[in-house]
């Protein structure tokens, strides 16, 4: 079970645009595959899939909805992390 005490008095909350945009420090619009990544993410979210395949690496990437439904930030640098922690 996840130790929710890791945040101390801080409470994780969702970024306003977490479904539509990847975490800004993990994927920028300058990435040559940005549009393709957004399209793959949107398709996976629409289909209710927890992941999609990254076009550059072939690795599985969690969707923002999966991460939000999980309910906590693992602090692993997920591309679509929905959380802001103050």
């Amino acid at each position: 079970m996840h130790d929710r005490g890791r945040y101390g008095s801080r409470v994780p909350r969702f970024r306003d645009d977490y479904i539509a945009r990847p975490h800004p420090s993990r994927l920028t619009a300058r990435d040559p595959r940005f549009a393709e990544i957004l399209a793959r993410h949107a398709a996976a979210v629409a289909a209710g899939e927890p992941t999609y395949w990254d076009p550059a690496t072939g690795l599985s990437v969690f969707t923002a909805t999966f991460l939000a439904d999980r309910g906590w930030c693992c602090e692993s640098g997920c591309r679509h992390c929905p959380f802001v922690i103050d």
Side-chain angles (χ1 to χ4, degrees), residues 37-49:
I37 288 168
L38 289 185
R40 287 181 181 216
H41 180 258
V45 168
E49 297 292 331

Side-chain angles (χ1 to χ4, degrees), residues 3-18:
D3 176 13
R4 294 177 192 269
R6 78 181 331 155
Y7 302 117
S9 63
R10 302 171 301 165
V11 176
R13 58 185 165 79
F14 295 124
R15 293 184 297 113
D16 292 334
D17 61 350
Y18 77 91

Side-chain angles (χ1 to χ4, degrees), residues 39-70:
R40 287 181 181 216
H41 180 258
V45 168
E49 297 292 331
T51 63
Y52 66 92
W53 295 106
D54 180 77
T57 65
L59 298 174
S60 182
V61 178
F62 287 121
T63 65
T65 50
F66 171 82
L67 295 169
D69 290 346
R70 184 175 63 182

